[in-house]
Amino acid sequence: MRVRGFGELEAVVMERLWDREEATTVREVFDDMSRDREIAYTTVMSTMDNLHRKGWLERERSGKAFRYWPTLTREEHSARLMREAFHSGGRSDVVLTHFFEQMSEEEAAGLRVALQRMAADEDAAR
């Protein structure tokens, strides 16, 4: 599965699906999107089918329609984007330094908590 970002419409569809708690039909996504923009049902259907073929969505038949859900959470997708940027950005130590410099104090605190949690998990696994 390619990790790079989505096209504009794909990103909108993925955001709508990530905001939902359960599998969703094209009609439900279309109804939701059509409140904010003029869009054709077939455009939403084609976009969701493309996302399925690319491996970003899973689906199952529900009557005559399909119900779709993301294969990754929003956070998992973001982590993959970060990983890809990290590997393609040059020297990893310099990339990390610049990344840390751009973090807010709140983000840095969240990172420290995550690192402590990972260290504790590693200790518990030993």
Side-chain angles (χ1 to χ4, degrees):
M1 171 184 334
R2 215 176 101 217
V3 176
R4 290 259 182 232
F6 303 112
E8 181 184 342
L9 188 55
E10 289 176 334
V12 171
V13 168
M14 290 302 296
E15 288 296 329
R16 302 293 167 115
L17 289 166
W18 278 323
D19 288 342
R20 295 175 176 269
E21 307 247 337
E22 55 192 36
T24 305
T25 64
V26 172
R27 171 61 61 188
E28 292 166 329
V29 174
F30 167 75
D31 289 345
D32 189 26
M33 289 177 67
S34 63
R35 285 185 279 245
D36 301 332
R37 62 176 8 166
E38 192 170 314
I39 191 163
Y41 175 87
T42 53
T43 301
V44 177
M45 181 176 62
S46 296
T47 301
M48 290 175 71
D49 185 59
N50 288 341
L51 287 165
H52 173 260
R53 282 188 292 105
K54 292 177 180 180
W56 294 107
L57 297 178
E58 285 290 332
R59 71 182 182 191
E60 66 184 5
R61 188 163 289 282
S62 176
K64 292 183 179 182
F66 283 105
R67 299 190 73 73
Y68 292 84
W69 63 93
T71 57
L72 297 175
T73 66
R74 180 184 280 119
E75 295 77 12
E76 289 168 331
H77 172 67
S78 294
R80 285 191 179 189
L81 288 174
M82 291 168 63
R83 182 76 173 168
E84 185 174 281
F86 180 69
H87 280 288
S88 64
R91 288 187 33 212
S92 57
D93 59 329
V94 176
V95 171
L96 279 173
T97 299
H98 289 299
F99 180 68
F100 296 148
E101 288 171 346
Q102 296 176 36
M103 293 179 112
S104 70
E105 192 54 45
E106 183 178 307
E107 291 166 333
L111 178 60
R112 283 190 289 277
V113 168
L115 290 171
Q116 289 169 349
R117 188 177 316 129
M118 288 176 59
D121 289 347
E122 284 180 16
D123 289 345
R126 290 184 195 160

